[in-house]
Amino acid sequence: MKKSTTTLLAMGILASCSVAATETKSNMWDGIQLDGYDSIEAKPNMWDGIEMPGYGLVSTDSFDSLRDVGGFGDVMMASPESVSSMKRSRVLTGFEYEEYVYVNAPSQLFQSFIFADGSTKISDNFRLAYVLKETHKYRGSNKVSEGNALLTTELMPRYEKWVNENFNFAVEFGYEKVTGFEESTRYQITPELNFSLGKHFLHLNLESGYWDEEKAMFYETEPLYVYRLNDWINIGSKFLYHEDKNDFAWTEMAIKPLVQFRFDNNLYLELRYELGETEIFDGTGYDYSNYALYTEIPVNDTISLLADLAYRDHKQRNGNQYTWGDKEGVFAKVGIIWTF
């Protein structure tokens, strides 16, 4: 491939890369095409894990250790109590909206129907996480459909083991299959360590993955530290590092300070700021600031309402005539969490 075409493809991909993730990895960014130029559908999976890395990971209903570390889908300290005395499943059903407006390119809109995003505890040491969602992509001010919907299916079996009341470890295996306007397959393994020492909580992980279509590895780590200020406020921070070993060789780094509140009525609120940067092989990239709010509102012992909102401001760095310029984005996820 000629150098100019490679640069064009890389710039198109970079323009849609953004953070806050979560930590979820849905392939919804694949296949964006510039008018008059080649499609980047030949480079699938480049959009995974950028926005909200970590979504879809195992969480738990029990808050006997450090309560509510992170929002839905983020790592929480597992409970050492018997599986017979706690609910086994925690599942989200809902709707996700994500839109970006670019200075030099048509806007991009993604709407997802989340059928199931959660996990079920099978035994004291085994849990199965899963995601099933359908994504529709639209382009431009007239919201023109990009074609067939994208169906994402993820299965993530997980082994977790308590060593003592202050420490546990886990290993999660992941399989993701995407069909529709893009086809892709991904595999990953993620070992993790969790420490709970008094008012301190520390989570360490290292995800290693392989994208079949890319024939390339990727690596990601997102350690989390939380300090319990008092019975209803936690403060902490995450640090994200992501690296892809494909042709575009993009990396991402971010720091994410956060404050968590648990009120008397069990309402949960998290405020988060994310400061980071992305870069690909030729030095172009984005510097970004993301502002996020996450809340869970309990209705009863079985049902809670979820709202996850974010505003994203991305400033282009080392751009050229092929890049899409600065961009602004909004993200919203709403739904119902079922525990049973």
Side-chain angles (χ1 to χ4, degrees):
M1 183 178 293
K2 295 181 180 180
K3 181 177 181 181
S4 60
T5 304
T6 303
T7 303
L8 171 61
L9 299 183
M11 294 306 98
I13 288 174
L14 175 65
S16 298
C17 291
S18 52
V19 56
T22 267
E23 291 204 20
T24 97
K25 303 177 181 178
S26 62
N27 300 85
M28 70 174 69
W29 305 105
D30 300 341
I32 294 175
Q33 183 172 346
L34 285 170
D35 288 333
Y37 296 95
D38 293 337
S39 170
I40 64 170
E41 291 182 354
K43 290 293 179 186
N45 306 101
M46 288 302 302
W47 311 98
D48 295 353
I50 298 170
E51 292 300 327
M52 299 291 285
Y55 273 69
L57 295 181
V58 172
S59 58
T60 180
D61 303 325
S62 178
F63 310 125
D64 290 342
S65 184
L66 185 64
R67 290 173 54 179
D68 299 330
V69 176
F72 180 78
D74 284 353
V75 175
M76 295 185 182
M77 193 65 173
S79 170
E81 63 181 285
S82 171
V83 68
S84 62
S85 63
M86 62 183 294
K87 294 181 179 181
R88 291 175 177 264
S89 298
R90 185 173 188 263
V91 183
L92 168 70
T93 58
F95 176 76
E96 187 174 282
Y97 179 98
E98 194 161 19
E99 184 172 12
Y100 291 91
V101 177
Y102 301 87
V103 171
N104 301 325
S107 62
Q108 300 288 336
L109 169 62
F110 303 90
Q111 295 181 348
S112 298
F113 298 94
I114 305 170
F115 305 116
D117 182 353
S119 68
T120 296
K121 195 169 184 67
I122 299 171
S123 69
D124 286 341
N125 298 111
F126 289 95
R127 181 185 294 271
L128 178 65
Y130 38 82
V131 176
L132 181 62
K133 63 189 289 186
E134 181 180 275
T135 300
H136 299 261
K137 183 174 71 171
Y138 304 91
R139 184 166 177 256
S141 59
N142 295 327
K143 304 297 188 288
V144 178
S145 174
E146 289 290 318
N148 296 332
L150 182 152
L151 182 65
T152 300
T153 303
E154 295 183 57
L155 295 174
M156 292 160 283
R158 172 185 176 93
Y159 173 81
E160 50 193 32
K161 173 69 174 178
W162 277 87
V163 177
N164 55 51
E165 62 181 6
N166 301 120
F167 170 67
N168 77 339
F169 66 89
V171 180
E172 182 177 275
F173 301 88
Y175 168 79
E176 178 188 84
K177 182 66 177 179
V178 178
T179 59
F181 59 78
E182 284 294 340
E183 303 283 337
S184 64
T185 305
R186 189 191 69 171
Y187 309 91
Q188 59 90 9
I189 181 172
T190 308
E192 67 178 51
L193 305 174
N194 297 303
F195 303 87
S196 181
L197 301 172
K199 293 186 176 183
H200 305 272
F201 174 82
L202 178 65
H203 165 79
L204 303 174
N205 70 349
L206 177 60
E207 178 178 295
S208 300
Y210 179 78
W211 283 326
D212 196 21
E213 287 73 17
E214 288 287 317
K215 306 300 181 187
M217 297 291 295
F218 66 89
Y219 304 94
E220 181 174 302
T221 182
E222 193 170 24
L224 164 68
Y225 169 76
V226 173
Y227 174 77
R228 181 181 297 197
L229 192 62
N230 54 43
D231 289 341
W232 65 287
I233 299 179
N234 296 331
I235 59 174
S237 183
K238 295 180 180 180
F239 174 78
L240 169 70
Y241 178 79
H242 180 99
E243 181 178 0
D244 268 18
K245 294 294 188 179
N246 58 16
D247 292 343
F248 297 97
W250 67 268
T251 60
E252 179 179 6
M253 291 187 293
I255 185 170
K256 307 177 183 183
L258 54 87
V259 182
Q260 303 167 336
F261 302 89
R262 169 66 69 176
F263 299 101
D264 290 340
N265 60 356
N266 225 28
L267 184 149
Y268 175 78
L269 174 66
E270 179 175 306
L271 303 177
R272 186 174 64 251
Y273 171 68
E274 303 177 4
L275 179 66
E277 64 179 31
T278 60
E279 183 173 294
I280 62 172
F281 67 96
D282 65 354
T284 59
Y286 278 98
D287 298 317
Y288 60 78
S289 295
N290 297 335
Y291 308 86
L293 177 153
Y294 176 96
T295 186
E296 287 183 25
I297 305 172
V299 177
N300 53 42
D301 290 341
T302 302
I303 297 174
S304 296
L305 304 180
L306 175 147
D308 188 2
L309 310 173
Y311 166 74
R312 298 165 180 171
D313 185 22
H314 295 242
K315 302 299 183 183
Q316 185 174 264
R317 185 178 65 256
N318 299 328
N320 56 51
Q321 66 269 33
Y322 300 113
T323 57
W324 291 7
D326 296 347
K327 62 180 176 179
E328 291 182 281
V330 293
F331 173 88
K333 178 187 290 186
V334 295
I336 299 175
I337 299 174
W338 311 87
T339 56
F340 51 90

